[in-house]
Amino acid sequence: PEDALWEAAGRAYKLGDDKSAAMQQYRLFVQSYGGSERAASAQYMLGECYHAMGDWEGALREYDAVSGRNGRDAYLEASVLLREGECLFNLARYDEAIEKYTRLVNKYDDTFLLAEGLYELGQAYIVDGNWLRLEEAYRELLERRPGYADLQEVKFALGLFAFHDGRYDEAREYFEQVPSDRGLYFLGRTLEETGQYILAIQRYKAVLRRHADSPLADEARFIEAALRGEAGDVEGMWSGLRELAENGSPAMRRHAASELADPQRNPYDAFARARGRDRWANATWVLWGPGALLPQPSVDGVAEWLLRLPSRVQTTLLTPMRLLGLYGSPPPPSARNTAVHA
């Protein structure tokens, strides 16, 4: 019966993406044959069922229970650490994932899972932004398993710590072999750092063209617009930023709007806004006279404004006659232009 149940659970596991049937049979095996040498493996396979269905919390729970089952060996314990690290990584619990991978690398360095542990450890360091540890992990990985150098993720990682070390020519060689959105984005960053703005713009455009749904798309669009100014296309830069301010993600809209509003970065628009405010102030004065003035932000200012309020109201009510009077006694050119604008 034990062999039959084990084989039936294995067949159910291979049948498709839905692992519910296999899950039931492996759980039945653990409950029925807890003293078996296969109990730990059955418990591990329960975790594999949850893992295959994307239930990372459920998988962690089942993997953690392997330690209390009969039939454990070094390979199974190393496999549990690897899977637990993957689940924690997928749950964005990166520090805990790094701890699991580090235990695997340090304790089970004589198993073939060492290379996978180093690889996954490097991926966690990328997300964590720990470039020094990333380099250490992947240097050891390539020393022990040189074949991993052909993986795009490893090339990307090698490019990353060359980039952060300022070795831009080396970084460019790695990134050119990674056609993903991240590879193209950092290739653009590398070209930007070396002053090759036209080539960098082309790489950012490639991110937008090939990976429109990438989380890096908005940032690539922003940098691409900003680099147009560095390449001499100032109008193109402001056009791109205006488009982002209207159609980008909420965060990018705010960022682009702040750039557009910065008088140091965008003096022309700042001058246009100031000129518009001045024209409006002058126009309201011509139309309403002193009635257009607001009180000064102080107690004395408010008191003075209230004391003069009757005369301000009277002046405001005479606005039609004042406008007609402009034709009888022509004002100075500046006031006349303001009136026409009003």
Side-chain angles (χ1 to χ4, degrees), residues 74 78 81-82 97-111 113-118 121 125 133 136-137 140 144:
L81 285 173
L82 181 65
I98 288 172
E99 188 270 332
K100 295 290 184 182
Y101 291 138
T102 303
R103 282 178 55 195
L104 167 60
V105 168
N106 292 338
K107 189 174 181 180
Y108 300 101
D109 62 349
D110 57 342
T111 70
L113 291 176
L114 168 67
E116 278 298 298
L118 287 168
L121 182 59
Y125 282 140
R133 294 287 189 177
E136 291 174 357
E140 183 178 355
R144 292 173 176 262

Side-chain angles (χ1 to χ4, degrees), residues 150-227:
D150 294 331
L151 294 178
Q152 283 192 8
E153 289 298 329
V154 174
K155 291 176 181 177
F156 175 72
L158 293 170
L160 267 184
F161 56 70
F163 176 83
H164 285 279
D165 200 33
R167 294 179 277 118
Y168 298 121
D169 290 339
E170 183 180 345
R172 179 177 177 176
E173 289 180 12
Y174 283 119
F175 291 139
E176 284 177 340
Q177 302 176 62
V178 184
S180 67
D181 56 340
R182 294 189 301 170
L184 289 167
Y185 172 81
F186 275 96
L187 179 54
R189 291 279 304 276
T190 303
L191 293 165
E192 181 185 346
E193 290 292 335
T194 55
Q196 301 178 71
Y197 301 125
I198 301 297
L199 291 176
I201 288 171
Q202 292 173 357
R203 298 310 182 276
Y204 291 129
K205 285 184 175 179
V207 174
L208 301 175
R209 188 172 59 253
R210 302 179 194 174
H211 308 281
D213 297 330
S214 167
L216 295 171
D218 266 356
E219 190 169 351
R221 189 177 290 110
F222 178 85
I223 299 176
E224 183 262 333
L227 283 183

Side-chain angles (χ1 to χ4, degrees), residues 9-291:
R11 286 195 300 270
Y13 183 82
K14 296 175 183 178
L15 283 179
D17 294 334
D18 186 359
K19 307 298 182 184
S20 302
M23 197 182 299
Q24 292 175 359
Q25 298 196 52
Y26 280 123
R27 194 173 300 282
L28 178 60
F29 187 97
V30 170
Q31 293 169 350
S32 303
Y33 304 103
S36 168
E37 288 299 307
R38 293 172 175 164
S41 295
Q43 183 66 52
Y44 175 80
M45 290 305 299
L46 261 175
E48 289 290 273
C49 291
Y50 282 98
H51 188 282
M53 297 172 67
D55 183 349
W56 314 121
E57 293 283 5
L60 277 173
R61 184 177 60 251
E62 301 301 338
Y63 290 135
D64 187 59
V66 172
S67 60
R69 300 295 181 185
N70 285 342
R72 301 187 311 278
D73 57 23
Y75 171 72
L76 187 61
E77 290 175 349
S79 298
V80 167
L81 285 173
L82 181 65
R83 286 304 205 199
E84 286 179 332
E86 290 174 359
C87 292
L88 291 165
F89 184 91
N90 290 331
L91 290 168
R93 292 157 61 180
Y94 302 118
D95 290 342
E96 295 175 73
I98 288 172
E99 188 270 332
K100 295 290 184 182
Y101 291 138
T102 303
R103 282 178 55 195
L104 167 60
V105 168
N106 292 338
K107 189 174 181 180
Y108 300 101
D109 62 349
D110 57 342
T111 70
F112 82 90
L113 291 176
L114 168 67
E116 278 298 298
L118 287 168
Y119 173 76
E120 297 292 349
L121 182 59
Q123 296 300 299
Y125 282 140
I126 289 175
V127 176
D128 199 44
N130 193 331
W131 313 116
L132 180 61
R133 294 287 189 177
L134 167 65
E135 183 170 12
E136 291 174 357
Y138 276 4
R139 291 295 182 200
E140 183 178 355
L141 171 63
L142 295 178
E143 286 174 6
R144 292 173 176 262
R145 299 286 189 276
Y148 273 77
D150 294 331
L151 294 178
Q152 283 192 8
E153 289 298 329
V154 174
K155 291 176 181 177
F156 175 72
L158 293 170
L160 267 184
F161 56 70
F163 176 83
H164 285 279
D165 200 33
R167 294 179 277 118
Y168 298 121
D169 290 339
E170 183 180 345
R172 179 177 177 176
E173 289 180 12
Y174 283 119
F175 291 139
E176 284 177 340
Q177 302 176 62
V178 184
S180 67
D181 56 340
R182 294 189 301 170
L184 289 167
Y185 172 81
F186 275 96
L187 179 54
R189 291 279 304 276
T190 303
L191 293 165
E192 181 185 346
E193 290 292 335
T194 55
Q196 301 178 71
Y197 301 125
I198 301 297
L199 291 176
I201 288 171
Q202 292 173 357
R203 298 310 182 276
Y204 291 129
K205 285 184 175 179
V207 174
L208 301 175
R209 188 172 59 253
R210 302 179 194 174
H211 308 281
D213 297 330
S214 167
L216 295 171
D218 266 356
E219 190 169 351
R221 189 177 290 110
F222 178 85
I223 299 176
E224 183 262 333
L227 283 183
R228 292 184 199 174
E230 300 289 347
D233 182 9
V234 177
E235 184 54 40
M237 174 180 69
W238 295 123
S239 174
L241 289 175
R242 290 187 193 100
E243 181 183 351
L244 262 180
E246 294 175 2
N247 303 317
S249 65
M252 194 53 66
R253 285 202 299 269
R254 291 191 294 271
H255 191 32
S258 70
E259 289 289 304
L260 290 166
D262 184 352
Q264 299 296 324
R265 292 273 294 157
N266 189 6
Y268 177 81
D269 279 7
F271 172 75
R273 288 193 300 274
R275 183 175 61 180
R277 287 193 298 269
D278 290 343
R279 281 181 171 179
W280 178 250
N282 290 336
T284 53
W285 174 266
V286 169
L287 286 171
W288 307 112

